[in-house]
Amino acid sequence: MKSKAAIGNHPLHPAVVVVPIGSWFATLVGDIAYMTTGNPFWYQFSYYTMLIGLLGALAAAVLGFIDYFGVKMSEAGYRIARMHMIINLVVSGAYAFN
């Protein structure tokens, strides 16, 4: 299984997914800090980290779609990839709605 979205032999999708994961964790930390301190800095911090997470999720989704449609996998591999895609699109949609 060789990624179509890669630099050399290094697939890009796994490298990019750390951006939304880290950003959304920072959003959680900022929300907790805002709720406990009431400092408006943390509200803005959470807003921008959520936005960065959404942009990172969009980039990861594009790279994931390239791999999903461009890499030959077994039926079990497609099933797992499809569930991964659906779960992540739902989570990204929830963050966008928020």
Side-chain angles (χ1 to χ4, degrees):
M1 189 166 95
K2 185 167 170 59
S3 175
K4 300 292 183 188
I7 296 176
N9 289 330
H10 303 284
L12 295 174
H13 178 72
V16 174
V17 298
V18 298
V19 173
I21 292 169
S23 296
W24 289 338
F25 180 76
T27 300
L28 173 65
V29 171
D31 284 346
I32 292 169
Y34 177 69
M35 288 183 354
T36 57
T37 66
N39 186 339
F41 165 80
W42 292 111
Y43 183 85
Q44 289 182 327
F45 175 85
S46 293
Y47 175 81
Y48 287 111
T49 56
M50 189 182 310
L51 183 62
I52 291 167
L54 284 170
L55 295 174
L58 178 63
V62 168
L63 296 169
F65 282 134
I66 291 169
D67 284 345
Y68 182 77
F69 292 110
V71 174
K72 290 188 181 215
M73 293 182 263
S74 66
E75 186 54 39
Y78 274 114
R79 190 171 45 254
I80 291 169
R82 191 170 29 256
M83 286 304 300
H84 172 79
M85 177 178 57
I86 290 167
I87 290 167
N88 284 299
L89 288 173
V90 168
V91 169
S92 297
Y95 270 98
F97 180 74
N98 185 19

Coordinates of all heavy atoms in Angstrom, one line a residue:
M1 N 0.9 -1.2 0.0 CA 0.0 0.0 0.0 C 0.9 1.2 0.0 O 1.5 1.5 1.0 CB -0.9 -0.1 1.2 CG -2.0 1.0 1.2 SD -3.2 0.6 2.5 CE -2.6 1.6 3.8
K2 N 1.0 1.9 -1.1 CA 1.8 3.1 -1.3 C 0.9 4.3 -1.5 O 0.1 4.4 -2.3 CB 2.8 2.9 -2.4 CG 3.8 4.0 -2.6 CD 4.8 3.6 -3.6 CE 5.7 4.7 -4.0 NZ 6.4 5.4 -2.9
S3 N 1.1 5.3 -0.6 CA 0.3 6.5 -0.7 C 0.5 7.3 -2.0 O 1.6 7.4 -2.4 CB 0.7 7.4 0.5 OG 0.0 8.6 0.4
K4 N -0.5 7.8 -2.5 CA -0.5 8.7 -3.7 C -0.1 10.1 -3.3 O 0.4 10.9 -4.1 CB -1.8 8.7 -4.5 CG -2.2 7.3 -5.0 CD -1.3 6.8 -6.0 CE -1.8 5.5 -6.5 NZ -0.8 4.8 -7.5
A5 N -0.4 10.5 -2.1 CA -0.1 11.8 -1.6 C 1.1 11.7 -0.7 O 0.9 11.5 0.5 CB -1.3 12.4 -0.8
A6 N 2.3 11.8 -1.2 CA 3.5 11.5 -0.5 C 4.6 12.4 -1.0 O 4.6 12.8 -2.2 CB 3.9 10.1 -0.5
I7 N 5.6 12.6 -0.2 CA 6.8 13.2 -0.6 C 7.9 12.1 -0.4 O 8.1 11.6 0.7 CB 7.2 14.4 0.3 CG1 6.2 15.5 0.1 CG2 8.6 14.9 -0.1 CD1 6.5 16.7 1.0
G8 N 8.4 11.6 -1.6 CA 9.2 10.4 -1.6 C 8.4 9.2 -1.1 O 7.3 9.0 -1.7
N9 N 8.8 8.5 -0.1 CA 8.1 7.4 0.5 C 7.3 7.8 1.7 O 6.9 6.9 2.4 CB 9.0 6.2 0.8 CG 9.5 5.6 -0.5 OD1 8.9 5.6 -1.5 ND2 10.8 5.1 -0.5
H10 N 7.2 9.1 2.0 CA 6.6 9.5 3.3 C 5.2 10.0 3.0 O 5.0 11.1 2.4 CB 7.5 10.6 3.9 CG 8.8 10.2 4.2 ND1 9.2 9.3 5.2 CD2 10.0 10.4 3.5 CE1 10.5 9.1 5.2 NE2 11.0 9.8 4.2
P11 N 4.2 9.3 3.4 CA 2.8 9.8 3.2 C 2.5 11.0 4.0 O 3.0 11.2 5.1 CB 1.9 8.6 3.7 CG 2.8 7.8 4.6 CD 4.2 8.0 4.1
L12 N 1.7 11.9 3.4 CA 1.4 13.2 4.0 C 0.3 13.2 5.0 O 0.2 14.0 5.9 CB 1.2 14.3 2.9 CG 2.4 14.6 2.1 CD1 2.0 15.5 0.9 CD2 3.5 15.2 2.9
H13 N -0.7 12.4 4.7 CA -1.9 12.3 5.6 C -1.6 12.1 7.1 O -2.0 12.9 7.9 CB -2.9 11.3 5.1 CG -4.1 11.1 6.0 ND1 -5.1 12.1 6.0 CD2 -4.5 10.2 6.8 CE1 -6.0 11.7 6.8 NE2 -5.7 10.5 7.4
P14 N -0.7 11.1 7.4 CA -0.4 11.0 8.8 C 0.4 12.1 9.4 O 0.3 12.4 10.6 CB 0.4 9.7 8.9 CG 0.2 9.0 7.6 CD -0.2 10.1 6.6
A15 N 1.1 12.8 8.6 CA 1.9 14.0 9.1 C 1.0 15.2 9.4 O 1.2 16.0 10.3 CB 3.0 14.4 8.1
V16 N -0.1 15.3 8.6 CA -1.0 16.5 8.7 C -2.0 16.4 9.8 O -2.4 17.4 10.4 CB -1.6 16.8 7.3 CG1 -2.6 17.9 7.4 CG2 -0.5 17.2 6.3
V17 N -2.4 15.1 10.1 CA -3.5 15.0 11.1 C -3.1 15.4 12.5 O -4.0 15.7 13.3 CB -4.0 13.5 11.2 CG1 -4.6 13.1 9.9 CG2 -2.9 12.6 11.6
V18 N -1.8 15.6 12.8 CA -1.4 16.1 14.1 C -1.9 17.6 14.3 O -2.1 18.0 15.4 CB 0.1 16.0 14.3 CG1 0.5 14.5 14.3 CG2 0.9 16.8 13.4
V19 N -2.1 18.3 13.2 CA -2.5 19.7 13.3 C -3.9 19.8 14.0 O -4.1 20.5 15.0 CB -2.4 20.5 12.0 CG1 -3.0 21.8 12.1 CG2 -1.0 20.5 11.5
P20 N -4.9 19.2 13.4 CA -6.3 19.3 14.1 C -6.3 18.6 15.5 O -6.9 19.1 16.4 CB -7.2 18.6 13.1 CG -6.4 17.8 12.2 CD -5.1 18.5 12.1
I21 N -5.6 17.5 15.6 CA -5.6 16.9 16.9 C -5.0 17.8 18.0 O -5.6 18.1 19.1 CB -4.8 15.6 16.9 CG1 -5.5 14.5 16.1 CG2 -4.6 15.0 18.3 CD1 -4.7 13.3 15.8
G22 N -3.8 18.4 17.7 CA -3.2 19.3 18.7 C -4.0 20.6 18.8 O -4.2 21.1 20.0
S23 N -4.6 21.1 17.8 CA -5.3 22.4 17.8 C -6.6 22.2 18.6 O -7.0 23.0 19.5 CB -5.7 22.9 16.4 OG -4.5 23.2 15.7
W24 N -7.3 21.1 18.4 CA -8.5 20.9 19.2 C -8.3 20.5 20.6 O -9.1 20.9 21.5 CB -9.4 19.8 18.5 CG -9.9 20.3 17.2 CD1 -10.1 21.6 16.8 CD2 -10.4 19.6 16.1 NE1 -10.7 21.8 15.6 CE2 -10.9 20.5 15.1 CE3 -10.5 18.2 15.8 CZ2 -11.4 20.1 13.9 CZ3 -11.0 17.8 14.6 CH2 -11.4 18.8 13.6
F25 N -7.2 19.9 20.9 CA -6.8 19.7 22.3 C -6.5 21.1 23.0 O -7.0 21.3 24.1 CB -5.6 18.8 22.5 CG -5.2 18.6 23.9 CD1 -6.0 17.8 24.7 CD2 -4.1 19.2 24.5 CE1 -5.7 17.6 26.1 CE2 -3.8 19.1 25.8 CZ -4.6 18.2 26.6
A26 N -5.8 22.0 22.2 CA -5.6 23.3 22.7 C -6.9 24.1 22.9 O -7.0 24.9 23.9 CB -4.6 24.1 21.8
T27 N -7.9 23.8 22.1 CA -9.2 24.5 22.2 C -9.8 24.0 23.5 O -10.4 24.9 24.3 CB -10.1 24.1 21.0 OG1 -9.5 24.5 19.8 CG2 -11.5 24.7 21.2
L28 N -9.7 22.8 23.8 CA -10.3 22.2 25.1 C -9.6 22.9 26.3 O -10.3 23.4 27.2 CB -10.1 20.7 25.2 CG -10.5 20.1 26.5 CD1 -12.0 20.2 26.8 CD2 -10.0 18.6 26.5
V29 N -8.3 23.0 26.2 CA -7.5 23.7 27.3 C -7.9 25.1 27.4 O -8.2 25.6 28.5 CB -6.0 23.5 27.1 CG1 -5.2 24.4 28.1 CG2 -5.6 22.1 27.2
G30 N -8.1 25.8 26.3 CA -8.5 27.2 26.3 C -9.9 27.4 26.9 O -10.1 28.4 27.6
D31 N -10.8 26.5 26.5 CA -12.2 26.6 27.0 C -12.2 26.4 28.5 O -12.9 27.1 29.2 CB -13.1 25.5 26.3 CG -13.4 25.9 24.9 OD1 -13.2 27.1 24.5 OD2 -13.9 25.1 24.2
I32 N -11.4 25.4 29.0 CA -11.4 25.2 30.5 C -10.8 26.4 31.2 O -11.3 26.9 32.2 CB -10.6 23.9 30.8 CG1 -11.4 22.7 30.3 CG2 -10.3 23.8 32.3 CD1 -10.7 21.4 30.3
A33 N -9.7 27.0 30.6 CA -9.1 28.1 31.2 C -10.0 29.3 31.2 O -10.1 30.1 32.2 CB -7.8 28.5 30.4
Y34 N -10.8 29.5 30.1 CA -11.8 30.6 30.0 C -12.9 30.4 31.1 O -13.3 31.4 31.8 CB -12.4 30.7 28.6 CG -13.4 31.8 28.6 CD1 -13.1 33.1 28.6 CD2 -14.7 31.5 28.4 CE1 -14.0 34.1 28.6 CE2 -15.7 32.4 28.3 CZ -15.4 33.8 28.4 OH -16.3 34.8 28.4
M35 N -13.4 29.2 31.2 CA -14.4 28.9 32.2 C -13.9 29.2 33.6 O -14.7 29.6 34.5 CB -15.0 27.5 32.0 CG -15.8 27.4 30.8 SD -16.6 25.7 30.5 CE -16.0 24.7 31.7
T36 N -12.7 28.9 33.9 CA -12.2 29.0 35.3 C -11.7 30.4 35.6 O -11.8 30.9 36.7 CB -11.1 28.0 35.6 OG1 -10.0 28.2 34.6 CG2 -11.6 26.6 35.5
T37 N -11.2 31.2 34.6 CA -10.6 32.5 34.8 C -11.5 33.6 34.4 O -11.5 34.7 34.9 CB -9.3 32.7 34.2 OG1 -9.4 32.7 32.8 CG2 -8.3 31.6 34.6
G38 N -12.3 33.4 33.3 CA -13.1 34.4 32.7 C -12.3 35.4 31.9 O -12.9 36.4 31.4
N39 N -11.0 35.1 31.7 CA -10.2 36.0 30.9 C -10.5 35.9 29.5 O -10.4 34.8 28.9 CB -8.7 35.6 31.2 CG -7.7 36.6 30.6 OD1 -8.0 37.3 29.6 ND2 -6.5 36.5 31.1
P40 N -10.8 37.0 28.8 CA -11.2 36.9 27.4 C -10.1 36.5 26.5 O -10.4 36.0 25.3 CB -11.6 38.4 27.0 CG -11.2 39.2 28.1 CD -10.9 38.4 29.3
F41 N -8.8 36.5 26.9 CA -7.7 36.0 26.1 C -8.0 34.5 25.7 O -7.8 34.1 24.6 CB -6.4 36.1 26.8 CG -5.3 35.2 26.2 CD1 -4.7 35.7 25.1 CD2 -5.0 34.0 26.7 CE1 -3.7 34.9 24.5 CE2 -4.0 33.2 26.2 CZ -3.4 33.7 25.0
W42 N -8.5 33.7 26.7 CA -8.7 32.3 26.5 C -9.8 32.0 25.6 O -9.8 31.0 24.8 CB -8.9 31.6 27.8 CG -7.6 31.6 28.7 CD1 -7.4 32.3 29.8 CD2 -6.4 30.9 28.3 NE1 -6.1 32.1 30.2 CE2 -5.5 31.2 29.4 CE3 -6.0 30.1 27.3 CZ2 -4.2 30.8 29.4 CZ3 -4.7 29.6 27.3 CH2 -3.8 29.9 28.3
Y43 N -10.8 32.9 25.5 CA -11.9 32.8 24.6 C -11.4 32.9 23.2 O -11.7 32.1 22.3 CB -13.0 33.8 24.9 CG -14.2 33.7 24.0 CD1 -15.2 32.8 24.3 CD2 -14.3 34.5 22.8 CE1 -16.3 32.7 23.4 CE2 -15.4 34.4 22.0 CZ -16.4 33.5 22.3 OH -17.5 33.4 21.5
Q44 N -10.6 34.0 22.9 CA -10.0 34.2 21.6 C -9.0 33.1 21.3 O -9.0 32.6 20.1 CB -9.3 35.5 21.6 CG -10.2 36.7 21.6 CD -9.5 38.0 21.5 OE1 -8.4 38.2 22.0 NE2 -10.1 39.0 20.8
F45 N -8.2 32.6 22.2 CA -7.3 31.5 22.0 C -8.0 30.3 21.5 O -7.6 29.7 20.5 CB -6.6 31.2 23.3 CG -5.7 30.0 23.3 CD1 -4.4 30.1 22.8 CD2 -6.1 28.8 23.7 CE1 -3.5 29.0 22.8 CE2 -5.3 27.7 23.7 CZ -4.0 27.8 23.2
S46 N -9.1 30.0 22.2 CA -9.9 28.8 21.8 C -10.5 29.0 20.4 O -10.6 28.0 19.6 CB -11.1 28.5 22.8 OG -10.5 28.1 24.0
Y47 N -11.0 30.2 20.1 CA -11.6 30.4 18.8 C -10.5 30.2 17.7 O -10.8 29.5 16.7 CB -12.1 31.9 18.7 CG -12.6 32.3 17.3 CD1 -13.9 31.9 16.9 CD2 -11.8 33.0 16.5 CE1 -14.3 32.3 15.7 CE2 -12.2 33.3 15.2 CZ -13.5 33.0 14.8 OH -13.9 33.3 13.6
Y48 N -9.3 30.7 17.8 CA -8.3 30.6 16.8 C -7.8 29.2 16.7 O -7.5 28.7 15.6 CB -7.2 31.6 17.0 CG -7.7 33.0 16.6 CD1 -7.9 34.0 17.5 CD2 -8.0 33.3 15.2 CE1 -8.4 35.3 17.1 CE2 -8.5 34.5 14.9 CZ -8.7 35.5 15.8 OH -9.2 36.7 15.5
T49 N -7.6 28.5 17.8 CA -7.1 27.1 17.8 C -8.2 26.2 17.1 O -7.8 25.3 16.4 CB -6.7 26.6 19.1 OG1 -7.8 26.7 20.1 CG2 -5.5 27.3 19.7
M50 N -9.5 26.5 17.3 CA -10.5 25.7 16.7 C -10.5 26.0 15.2 O -10.6 25.1 14.4 CB -11.9 26.1 17.2 CG -13.0 25.2 16.7 SD -14.6 25.5 17.2 CE -14.4 25.7 19.0
L51 N -10.2 27.2 14.7 CA -10.1 27.6 13.3 C -8.9 26.9 12.7 O -9.0 26.3 11.6 CB -10.1 29.1 13.2 CG -10.0 29.6 11.7 CD1 -11.3 29.2 11.0 CD2 -9.8 31.1 11.8
I52 N -7.8 26.9 13.4 CA -6.6 26.2 12.9 C -6.9 24.7 12.7 O -6.5 24.1 11.7 CB -5.4 26.5 13.8 CG1 -5.0 28.0 13.6 CG2 -4.2 25.6 13.4 CD1 -4.0 28.5 14.7
G53 N -7.6 24.2 13.7 CA -7.9 22.7 13.7 C -8.8 22.4 12.5 O -8.6 21.4 11.8
L54 N -9.8 23.3 12.2 CA -10.6 23.0 11.0 C -9.9 23.1 9.7 O -10.1 22.3 8.8 CB -11.8 24.0 11.0 CG -12.9 23.8 12.0 CD1 -13.9 25.0 12.1 CD2 -13.6 22.5 11.6
L55 N -9.0 24.1 9.6 CA -8.2 24.2 8.4 C -7.3 23.0 8.2 O -7.1 22.4 7.1 CB -7.4 25.5 8.4 CG -8.2 26.7 8.3 CD1 -7.3 28.0 8.4 CD2 -9.0 26.8 7.0
G56 N -6.7 22.5 9.4 CA -5.8 21.3 9.3 C -6.6 20.1 9.0 O -6.2 19.2 8.3
A57 N -7.9 20.0 9.5 CA -8.7 18.9 9.2 C -9.1 18.8 7.7 O -9.2 17.8 7.1 CB -10.0 18.9 10.1
L58 N -9.3 20.0 7.2 CA -9.6 20.1 5.7 C -8.4 19.6 4.9 O -8.6 18.8 4.0 CB -10.0 21.5 5.4 CG -10.3 21.8 3.9 CD1 -11.5 21.0 3.5 CD2 -10.5 23.3 3.6
A59 N -7.2 20.0 5.3 CA -6.0 19.6 4.6 C -5.9 18.0 4.7 O -5.6 17.3 3.8 CB -4.8 20.3 5.1
A60 N -6.1 17.5 5.9 CA -5.9 16.1 6.2 C -7.0 15.3 5.4 O -6.7 14.2 4.9 CB -6.1 15.8 7.7
A61 N -8.2 15.9 5.3 CA -9.3 15.2 4.6 C -9.0 15.1 3.1 O -9.2 14.1 2.5 CB -10.6 15.9 4.8
V62 N -8.4 16.2 2.5 CA -8.1 16.2 1.1 C -7.0 15.1 0.9 O -7.1 14.3 -0.1 CB -7.5 17.5 0.6 CG1 -6.9 17.5 -0.7 CG2 -8.7 18.6 0.6
L63 N -6.0 15.0 1.7 CA -4.9 14.0 1.6 C -5.5 12.6 1.8 O -5.1 11.7 1.1 CB -3.8 14.3 2.5 CG -3.0 15.6 2.2 CD1 -2.1 16.0 3.3 CD2 -2.3 15.5 0.9
G64 N -6.4 12.5 2.8 CA -7.0 11.2 3.0 C -7.9 10.7 1.9 O -7.9 9.5 1.5
F65 N -8.6 11.6 1.2 CA -9.4 11.3 0.0 C -8.5 10.8 -1.1 O -8.9 9.8 -1.8 CB -10.3 12.5 -0.5 CG -11.5 12.7 0.3 CD1 -11.8 14.0 0.7 CD2 -12.4 11.7 0.7 CE1 -13.0 14.3 1.4 CE2 -13.5 11.9 1.4 CZ -13.8 13.2 1.8
I66 N -7.4 11.5 -1.3 CA -6.4 11.0 -2.3 C -6.0 9.6 -2.1 O -6.0 8.8 -3.0 CB -5.3 12.0 -2.4 CG1 -5.7 13.4 -2.9 CG2 -4.1 11.4 -3.3 CD1 -4.7 14.5 -2.8
D67 N -5.7 9.3 -0.8 CA -5.3 7.9 -0.5 C -6.4 7.0 -0.6 O -6.3 5.9 -1.1 CB -4.6 7.9 0.9 CG -3.2 8.4 0.9 OD1 -2.6 8.6 -0.1 OD2 -2.7 8.7 2.1
Y68 N -7.6 7.4 -0.1 CA -8.8 6.5 -0.1 C -9.1 6.0 -1.6 O -9.4 4.8 -1.8 CB -10.0 7.1 0.5 CG -11.2 6.3 0.6 CD1 -11.3 5.3 1.6 CD2 -12.2 6.4 -0.3 CE1 -12.4 4.5 1.7 CE2 -13.4 5.6 -0.2 CZ -13.5 4.7 0.8 OH -14.6 3.9 0.8
F69 N -9.1 7.0 -2.5 CA -9.4 6.6 -3.8 C -8.3 6.2 -4.7 O -8.4 5.7 -5.8 CB -10.2 7.8 -4.5 CG -11.5 8.1 -3.9 CD1 -11.7 9.2 -3.1 CD2 -12.5 7.2 -4.0 CE1 -13.0 9.4 -2.5 CE2 -13.8 7.4 -3.5 CZ -14.0 8.5 -2.7
G70 N -7.0 6.4 -4.2 CA -5.9 6.1 -5.1 C -5.1 4.9 -4.7 O -4.2 4.5 -5.4
V71 N -5.4 4.4 -3.5 CA -4.6 3.2 -3.0 C -5.4 2.0 -3.0 O -6.6 2.0 -2.6 CB -4.1 3.5 -1.5 CG1 -3.4 2.3 -1.0 CG2 -3.2 4.7 -1.5
K72 N -4.9 0.9 -3.5 CA -5.6 -0.4 -3.6 C -5.5 -1.0 -2.2 O -4.4 -1.1 -1.6 CB -5.0 -1.3 -4.6 CG -5.2 -0.9 -6.0 CD -4.8 -2.0 -7.0 CE -5.0 -1.5 -8.4 NZ -5.4 -2.5 -9.2
M73 N -6.7 -1.4 -1.6 CA -6.8 -2.0 -0.3 C -7.7 -3.2 -0.4 O -8.5 -3.3 -1.3 CB -7.4 -1.0 0.7 CG -6.5 0.2 1.0 SD -7.3 1.3 2.2 CE -8.1 2.5 1.2
S74 N -7.6 -4.0 0.6 CA -8.5 -5.1 0.8 C -9.9 -4.5 1.2 O -10.0 -3.4 1.5 CB -8.1 -6.1 1.9 OG -8.1 -5.4 3.1
E75 N -10.9 -5.4 1.1 CA -12.3 -4.9 1.5 C -12.3 -4.5 3.0 O -12.9 -3.5 3.3 CB -13.3 -6.0 1.2 CG -14.7 -5.6 1.5 CD -15.1 -4.3 0.7 OE1 -14.8 -4.1 -0.4 OE2 -15.8 -3.5 1.4
A76 N -11.6 -5.2 3.8 CA -11.5 -4.9 5.2 C -10.8 -3.5 5.4 O -11.2 -2.7 6.2 CB -10.7 -5.9 6.0
G77 N -9.7 -3.3 4.6 CA -9.0 -2.0 4.6 C -10.0 -0.8 4.2 O -10.0 0.2 4.9
Y78 N -10.8 -1.0 3.2 CA -11.7 0.0 2.7 C -12.8 0.2 3.8 O -13.2 1.4 4.1 CB -12.4 -0.4 1.4 CG -11.6 0.0 0.2 CD1 -11.1 -1.0 -0.6 CD2 -11.4 1.3 -0.1 CE1 -10.4 -0.6 -1.8 CE2 -10.7 1.7 -1.2 CZ -10.2 0.7 -2.0 OH -9.5 1.1 -3.1
R79 N -13.2 -0.8 4.5 CA -14.2 -0.7 5.5 C -13.7 0.1 6.7 O -14.4 1.1 7.2 CB -14.7 -2.1 6.0 CG -15.9 -2.0 6.9 CD -16.5 -3.4 7.2 NE -15.5 -4.4 7.5 CZ -15.1 -5.4 6.7 NH1 -15.6 -5.6 5.5 NH2 -14.2 -6.3 7.1
I80 N -12.5 -0.1 7.1 CA -11.9 0.6 8.2 C -11.6 2.1 7.8 O -11.9 3.0 8.5 CB -10.6 0.0 8.7 CG1 -10.9 -1.4 9.3 CG2 -9.8 0.9 9.6 CD1 -9.7 -2.2 9.6
A81 N -11.1 2.3 6.6 CA -10.9 3.6 6.1 C -12.2 4.4 5.9 O -12.2 5.6 6.3 CB -10.2 3.5 4.7
R82 N -13.2 3.7 5.5 CA -14.6 4.4 5.4 C -15.1 4.8 6.8 O -15.6 6.0 6.9 CB -15.5 3.5 4.7 CG -16.8 4.1 4.3 CD -17.7 3.2 3.3 NE -17.5 1.8 3.5 CZ -16.9 1.0 2.7 NH1 -16.2 1.5 1.6 NH2 -16.8 -0.3 2.9
M83 N -15.0 4.0 7.8 CA -15.4 4.3 9.1 C -14.6 5.5 9.7 O -15.1 6.4 10.3 CB -15.3 3.1 10.0 CG -16.4 2.1 9.8 SD -18.1 2.8 9.9 CE -18.1 3.4 11.6
H84 N -13.3 5.4 9.4 CA -12.3 6.5 9.9 C -12.8 7.8 9.2 O -12.8 8.8 9.9 CB -10.9 6.1 9.4 CG -9.9 7.1 9.6 ND1 -9.3 7.4 10.8 CD2 -9.3 8.0 8.7 CE1 -8.4 8.4 10.7 NE2 -8.4 8.8 9.4
M85 N -13.1 7.8 7.9 CA -13.5 9.0 7.2 C -14.8 9.5 7.8 O -14.9 10.7 8.0 CB -13.6 8.7 5.7 CG -14.1 9.9 4.9 SD -14.2 9.5 3.1 CE -15.3 8.1 3.0
I86 N -15.8 8.7 8.0 CA -17.1 9.1 8.5 C -17.0 9.7 9.9 O -17.5 10.8 10.1 CB -18.1 7.9 8.4 CG1 -18.4 7.6 7.0 CG2 -19.3 8.3 9.2 CD1 -19.2 6.2 6.9
I87 N -16.3 9.1 10.7 CA -16.1 9.6 12.1 C -15.4 10.9 12.1 O -15.8 11.9 12.8 CB -15.3 8.6 13.0 CG1 -16.2 7.3 13.2 CG2 -14.9 9.2 14.3 CD1 -15.5 6.2 13.8
N88 N -14.4 11.1 11.3 CA -13.6 12.3 11.3 C -14.4 13.4 10.6 O -14.3 14.6 11.0 CB -12.3 12.1 10.6 CG -11.3 11.5 11.6 OD1 -11.0 12.0 12.6 ND2 -10.9 10.3 11.2
L89 N -15.2 13.1 9.6 CA -16.1 14.2 9.0 C -17.2 14.6 10.0 O -17.5 15.8 10.0 CB -16.7 13.6 7.7 CG -15.7 13.5 6.5 CD1 -16.4 12.8 5.3 CD2 -15.2 14.8 6.1
V90 N -17.7 13.7 10.8 CA -18.7 14.1 11.8 C -18.1 15.0 12.8 O -18.7 16.0 13.2 CB -19.4 12.8 12.4 CG1 -20.2 13.2 13.6 CG2 -20.2 12.1 11.4
V91 N -16.9 14.6 13.3 CA -16.2 15.4 14.3 C -15.9 16.8 13.8 O -16.1 17.8 14.4 CB -15.0 14.7 14.9 CG1 -14.1 15.6 15.7 CG2 -15.4 13.5 15.7
S92 N -15.4 16.8 12.5 CA -15.0 18.1 11.9 C -16.3 19.0 11.7 O -16.3 20.2 11.9 CB -14.3 17.9 10.6 OG -13.1 17.2 10.8
G93 N -17.4 18.3 11.3 CA -18.6 19.1 11.2 C -19.1 19.6 12.5 O -19.6 20.7 12.5
A94 N -19.0 18.9 13.6 CA -19.4 19.4 14.9 C -18.5 20.6 15.3 O -19.1 21.6 15.8 CB -19.2 18.3 15.9
Y95 N -17.2 20.5 15.0 CA -16.4 21.7 15.3 C -16.8 22.9 14.5 O -16.8 24.0 14.9 CB -14.9 21.4 15.2 CG -14.3 20.9 16.4 CD1 -14.2 19.5 16.7 CD2 -13.9 21.7 17.5 CE1 -13.6 19.0 17.8 CE2 -13.3 21.2 18.6 CZ -13.2 19.9 18.8 OH -12.7 19.4 20.0
A96 N -17.1 22.6 13.2 CA -17.5 23.7 12.3 C -18.8 24.3 12.7 O -19.0 25.6 12.7 CB -17.6 23.2 10.9
F97 N -19.7 23.5 13.1 CA -21.0 24.0 13.6 C -20.9 24.8 14.9 O -21.5 25.8 15.1 CB -22.0 22.8 13.9 CG -23.3 23.2 14.4 CD1 -24.2 23.8 13.5 CD2 -23.7 23.0 15.7 CE1 -25.5 24.2 14.0 CE2 -24.9 23.4 16.2 CZ -25.8 24.0 15.3
N98 N -20.0 24.4 15.8 CA -19.7 25.1 17.0 C -19.2 26.4 16.8 O -19.5 27.4 17.4 CB -18.8 24.3 17.9 CG -18.6 24.9 19.3 OD1 -19.4 25.7 19.7 ND2 -17.5 24.5 19.9

